[in-house]
Amino acid sequence: MDRTLSSETTHKIGETVLLKGWVNTRRDHGKIVFIDLRDRTGLIQVVMTGDQAGSLRPEDVVYITGLVKARPEKLVNPRLATGAVEIEAQNVTLIEKAAELPFDMGQQVLELQLPTLLDNRTLSLRHPRISDIFLVQAAVLEGFRLAARELGCIEIVVPTISASATEGGAEVFKVNYYGHSAFLTQSPQLYKQMLVPSYERVYTIAHIYRSEPSVTTRHLSESTQLDCEIGYADFTELMDALEFVGSRTVKHVTENCAGILSRFGIAPAWIPPQIPRLKMREAQEIIKQRTGVDHTLEKDLMPEDEKEIWRWAREVHHSDFVTITHYPTQKRAFYTMPDPQNPEYSLSYDLIFRGVELLSGSQRINNYDQLLAAMKSRGLNPDDFVMYLQAFKYGMPPEGGFSFGLERFTMLILELANIREASMFPRDMERVDVRLSALKKPRQRAGV
Ligand code: AMO
């Protein structure tokens, strides 16, 4: 008999079906046992005798043949998509026995500390509310790809071992590369720029690595960036492009994950036809006027500034997005184009979504000599960037781009408290799968 998925049972009343899945929960009522069976489409209630149920427990893998029956009206479960039917088991076969679980997976929301959920990640990822987070993440990826393609970008895959540190700073993982030093990429930046002369417009979904020195709720040591790079575009066209991709992606998630967003209690994002744009200094002035807190001499927006300017964007422009431009040149990476009108500030932008930086980018320096001078002025050695510089030597058009953080996008869409909830297997300075403190010291490990 072919397998029937739980979601298909509602159309098969009166038929005998074969279901395959995991025991999600077990409820014993005297001689009758109710099993909620879980498969990739959801849950379905199965009724069986105590003999048929035997010692079944949560996460056991079972094959069940049974009759699909309509439930009497007063027993319909409105919280379950299959709540109008149930299965009367005829035959129950245990395929794999699960060990006893460390916690009750039957709760609607797992009321556990985040470290416990992460220590038991392959279990917590099976829980419907947590697996929903990654269905939203899949929709973010899909929405981004659709939007980038609509812009005419070609998808590229770039290396994650790099000859140089792209974003500067100390937050770089060094690797011993056949006795030479190389780095895990902090960004696909240099490679996406190198591909502009081939395709003009490219996008990539890339792993990035940053040895973040502190534990925060919005930084990971390994994360995923959604990047575009666009040739022959000026600063305004670049902002139009990033706002298009950002809002198109959110709309794609809203349209495709309506059920999940409502289960998480998330109101639709406010996206006006024109997303407000402010220079960083203008944003600081507005914040000073609204709060009395003077950050007008700071070289960057503080996290609380990003929250306040979002509140302003909602109140004044009915927007959950706000684009902030013209950050101080010295605060941005070496490839950022200084504003020709006032080189102290740069043709750069961040996109703030719901009070957190979701995206960064800029127009780039596309002239070879200017780029070389910018590198040297920051103490970078051009010899470390030989391949990158080659692309500029042979004619790089005016260009720029931007980058969204995938986990931040997911976190902000679902209004999660911690970015680790939006990463299937989060890495930070305390964890690689398991807590680093639980690992033996390298020399004590067998064979090392
Ligand atoms: P930036 O360093 O600002 O810019 O990164 C772009 C976006 O990536 C996300 N992000 C992170 N998410 C989680 N953990 C981290 N450690 C982390 N670091 C960055 C954020 C951020 O807005 N090359 C430039 C982009 C460009 O100019 O095109 C860059 O990497 O959402």
Side-chain angles (χ1 to χ4, degrees), residues 167 187 189 192 210 212 218-220 223 225 335 357-361 364 401-403 405 408 419:
E167 303 299 305
S187 147
Q189 181 68 34
K192 66 174 175 169
R210 298 195 184 182
E212 298 290 349
R218 52 193 206 161
H219 290 95
L220 294 166
S223 68
Q225 284 186 338
Y335 49 76
E357 176 205 313
L358 168 65
L359 162 148
S360 270
R364 322 298 186 188
F402 46 85
S403 170
R408 273 204 200 167
I419 196 167

Side-chain angles (χ1 to χ4, degrees), residues 275-308:
I275 289 171
R277 295 175 181 170
L278 291 171
K279 290 185 176 171
M280 188 196 79
R281 292 294 182 215
E282 292 169 344
Q284 288 170 327
E285 268 310 321
I286 290 173
I287 293 162
K288 184 177 150 193
Q289 280 162 21
R290 285 169 61 90
T291 65
V293 179
D294 186 356
H295 284 168
T296 53
L297 295 177
E298 297 292 338
K299 291 193 168 63
D300 209 344
L301 292 187
M302 320 264 120
E304 66 267 29
D305 296 335
E306 293 178 346
K307 290 261 170 324
E308 186 56 34

Side-chain angles (χ1 to χ4, degrees), residues 4 47 68 86 178 266 277 294 347:
T4 294
V47 191
V68 185
E86 65 184 8
Y178 305 112
I266 307 295
R277 295 175 181 170
D294 186 356
L347 297 182

Side-chain angles (χ1 to χ4, degrees), residues 121-304:
R121 199 55 168 159
T122 70
L123 272 184
S124 60
L125 283 171
R126 298 178 191 199
H127 190 273
R129 191 173 170 92
I130 294 178
S131 62
D132 274 353
I133 295 173
F134 298 97
L135 293 181
V136 167
Q137 188 159 91
V140 171
L141 287 164
E142 191 174 58
F144 170 76
R145 277 200 167 97
L146 288 171
R149 272 190 223 134
E150 222 171 291
L151 280 180
C153 299
I154 301 295
E155 182 159 10
I156 55 167
V157 176
V158 302
T160 54
I161 297 177
S162 169
S164 45
T166 52
E167 303 299 305
E171 292 128 25
V172 55
F173 288 107
K174 259 191 167 179
V175 285
N176 179 343
Y177 193 74
Y178 305 112
H180 297 270
S181 66
F183 305 92
L184 295 181
T185 46
Q186 295 166 292
S187 147
Q189 181 68 34
L190 304 189
Y191 298 98
K192 66 174 175 169
Q193 287 191 262
M194 289 187 240
L195 268 309
V196 165
S198 305
Y199 302 107
E200 287 191 20
R201 297 180 167 213
V202 293
Y203 76 94
T204 186
I205 296 170
H207 285 268
I208 65 145
Y209 306 90
R210 298 195 184 182
S211 120
E212 298 290 349
S214 56
V215 176
T216 80
T217 54
R218 52 193 206 161
H219 290 95
L220 294 166
S221 303
E222 177 174 358
S223 68
T224 316
Q225 284 186 338
L226 313 176
D227 277 45
C228 289
E229 197 71 11
I230 302 176
Y232 297 102
D234 66 22
F235 191 51
T236 306
E237 289 165 333
L238 291 169
M239 285 190 286
D240 291 345
L242 78 89
E243 290 165 0
F244 166 74
V245 177
S247 45
R248 181 86 166 69
T249 305
V250 171
K251 283 179 194 160
H252 185 79
V253 175
T254 310
E255 283 160 19
N256 289 277
C257 301
I260 299 177
L261 295 176
S262 99
R263 286 199 287 283
F264 274 73
I266 307 295
W270 290 2
I271 309 179
Q274 177 58 62
I275 289 171
R277 295 175 181 170
L278 291 171
K279 290 185 176 171
M280 188 196 79
R281 292 294 182 215
E282 292 169 344
Q284 288 170 327
E285 268 310 321
I286 290 173
I287 293 162
K288 184 177 150 193
Q289 280 162 21
R290 285 169 61 90
T291 65
V293 179
D294 186 356
H295 284 168
T296 53
L297 295 177
E298 297 292 338
K299 291 193 168 63
D300 209 344
L301 292 187
M302 320 264 120
E304 66 267 29

